[in-house]
Amino acid sequence: MSSLDVSTPGQPAAEHAASTAAPTSRRSRRWLGWVVIVLLVLGAALLIMRISNSASVPFRGGGDPDATGDHGMLALTEILRDQGVDVEVVRTRADAIAAISDDTTLTMTDPYTLSSDAVRDLLDAANDVVLLSSSTRMLDLLELGETTSASTSAAVPASCDLPELAKVGEIHPGRLFIPGDGVTGCYSDAEGTAALLVDESSGSRRAMIDGTRLFGNAYLAEDGNAALGLALLGQSDHVVWYVPSFADGDIEAQAEPSLGDLTPEWVTPAIVMLMLAGVAAALWRGRRFGPLVAETLPVTVRASETMHGRARLTAKAADAGHAAEAIRDGSIRRLARRLSLHERASAAEVADAVADRLRIPRAAVQELLTGALPASDDALIDQARRLSELESAVDDAVRAERGTR
């Protein structure tokens, strides 16, 4: 009896301790899981913020005199400075016009963010202009000639009477043009089309050449490219190099009132409170799933391997148009998400939304997102650079708008 008296009171106490310890352990594991999830969400948010901040840095790519990439022109800039030429890089029209004097050479790539009137004002301020572009619009504004689809892969000499080109060797020209009346054409082919157009009939010099590839850092040492760049830009002691950007656009689009402008101020807080209530209800009444079951698949193909494989096939086929279409489609989808458009919004709808948000000409954005696809690697790189600048500008505009609310 004494042994029974000792054991019977102690056994229920042990069973009770074990039964309370089990629920406590389960609750602790559940709360620990939620804490881990919250920390992961916060970490992902911080990572996205850092990526967004890094994406807002101005892109410096093809044609930029400060860029060190293959298609940047820092090497040409340094050569000019070594020869005693003062190269002043400006990124706004106002700074460019203020820096131009009588003995100044103005050079730039295609100023695609400026209207025709703004381009004329910029060109009229300089007596010596060298345009490193193959833009049809700039060809018409300078009245130098006409564009053509002709090209040549052979090296050609200057074949013109310009004294500054006398010691320049042969080059492999890029885009060719048809010279206009009174315009000197250099580096011509058998049909009379020329890679360099120079007009000195009005007492000032207006020159145009497709310098995107000729004067890029990776190609400057080929043939007579460096000598040609020095001959075109080294005729004066001062060079003003204007770099166009979306931030320097001169036309503000007339933005129509958005849905947010027409919505009462109390609607947004009410929607946020409803969303929080929905999340709380889901956490409170949501079904608790069990642990995930791992299943071994027969073959595992990483997404990165698929992406690199498709990229190698496109590069091997030299299909610049296909690659440009993929890059542009990706930009359109990302712009649609950032502007809160439908995921199936057309390119024209995205272009209109971008033009309204950035207050820039619709035609420039329409041409970039819906225009003809590039047919060469140089044009592909230029389009990718412009799409990257457009996405960065939209990101900045969206963040600025959210910060003011």
Side-chain angles (χ1 to χ4, degrees):
M1 290 294 295
S2 61
S3 61
L4 292 174
D5 293 337
V6 173
S7 59
T8 52
Q11 188 169 356
E15 292 177 354
H16 177 71
S19 63
T20 56
T24 301
S25 178
R26 286 195 297 269
R27 285 195 298 270
S28 299
R29 287 196 298 269
R30 185 163 61 248
W31 281 110
L32 180 61
W34 282 112
V35 170
V36 172
I37 291 174
V38 172
L39 292 177
L40 290 176
V41 171
L42 292 177
L46 292 176
L47 179 62
I48 292 173
M49 291 177 62
R50 292 196 61 179
I51 294 175
S52 300
N53 291 334
S54 63
S56 63
V57 177
F59 176 81
R60 294 185 178 180
D64 195 307
D66 291 333
T68 58
D70 289 348
H71 295 270
M73 297 186 182
L74 180 61
L76 177 59
T77 304
E78 294 301 324
I79 290 176
L80 291 170
R81 287 170 176 163
D82 290 342
Q83 297 299 318
V85 179
D86 178 21
V87 180
E88 184 175 355
V89 180
V90 295
R91 300 184 182 273
T92 64
R93 288 177 295 122
D95 292 341
I97 294 176
I100 293 173
S101 61
D102 293 337
D103 187 23
T104 296
T105 298
L106 172 65
T107 183
M108 57 184 165
T109 55
D110 179 20
Y112 52 90
T113 62
L114 299 182
S115 66
S116 298
D117 291 338
V119 173
R120 290 191 185 95
D121 293 340
L122 185 58
L123 298 178
D124 292 342
N127 293 325
D128 190 358
V129 176
V130 178
L131 187 66
L132 309 178
S133 172
S134 59
S135 168
T136 303
R137 183 184 69 143
M138 294 302 300
L139 194 66
D140 295 336
L141 287 177
L142 293 173
E143 298 180 353
L144 294 176
E146 300 177 1
T147 185
T148 177
S149 58
S151 62
T152 178
S153 59
V156 295
S159 63
C160 62
D161 298 332
L162 296 180
E164 60 265 28
L165 303 182
K167 297 182 179 180
V168 178
E170 296 181 342
I171 65 168
H172 285 80
R175 185 76 173 272
L176 298 178
F177 311 98
I178 300 176
D181 295 337
V183 177
T184 302
C186 301
Y187 300 100
S188 306
D189 62 1
E191 286 72 24
T193 57
L196 172 63
L197 303 179
V198 180
D199 181 14
E200 298 178 330
S201 59
S202 60
S204 59
R205 186 179 71 147
R206 298 289 186 266
M208 183 172 180
I209 188 171
D210 185 8
T212 306
R213 186 185 185 280
L214 288 174
F215 304 137
N217 295 327
Y219 314 103
L220 192 62
E222 297 178 358
D223 303 319
N225 295 353
L228 176 60
L230 186 60
L232 291 177
L233 302 180
Q235 298 302 308
S236 63
D237 296 331
H238 183 211
V239 172
V240 173
W241 199 313
Y242 171 66
V243 182
S245 64
F246 283 104
D248 193 40
D250 65 312
I251 297 180
E252 292 188 359
Q254 298 295 328
E256 298 179 357
S258 63
L259 182 61
D261 298 332
L262 302 176
T263 304
E265 296 181 355
W266 58 267
V267 172
T268 300
I271 293 175
V272 173
M273 291 183 63
L274 289 175
M275 292 177 62
L276 293 177
V279 172
L283 295 176
W284 172 44
R285 302 296 296 176
R287 180 179 178 182
R288 301 297 189 267
F289 293 98
L292 297 176
V293 178
E295 180 180 359
T296 303
L297 299 177
V299 177
T300 301
V301 180
R302 297 181 179 178
S304 59
E305 294 179 359
T306 303
M307 178 186 68
H308 288 297
R310 292 183 63 185
R312 283 192 293 268
L313 288 174
T314 303
K316 185 176 181 180
D319 190 358
H322 189 188
E325 183 179 7
I327 294 173
R328 188 165 68 179
D329 289 344
S331 295
I332 291 173
R333 288 195 299 270
R334 287 189 295 271
L335 289 171
R337 286 196 300 268
R338 291 166 185 167
L339 296 173
S340 301
L341 299 178
H342 192 273
E343 61 181 359
R344 295 183 180 178
S346 64
E349 293 174 346
V350 174
D352 290 341
V354 170
D356 291 340
R357 183 61 59 91
L358 297 182
R359 299 181 181 275
I360 59 177
R362 296 178 185 269
V365 186
Q366 289 278 0
E367 181 181 359
L368 182 58
L369 297 184
T370 63
L373 295 174
S376 64
D377 291 343
D378 293 336
L380 172 62
I381 293 173
D382 183 65
Q383 185 190 62
R385 174 182 62 81
R386 293 171 62 182
L387 288 172
S388 178
E389 288 185 356
L390 183 64
E391 291 186 39
S392 298
V394 171
D395 285 341
D396 293 342
V398 171
R399 281 196 297 272
E401 181 178 353
R402 291 176 178 174
T404 57
R405 291 184 177 178

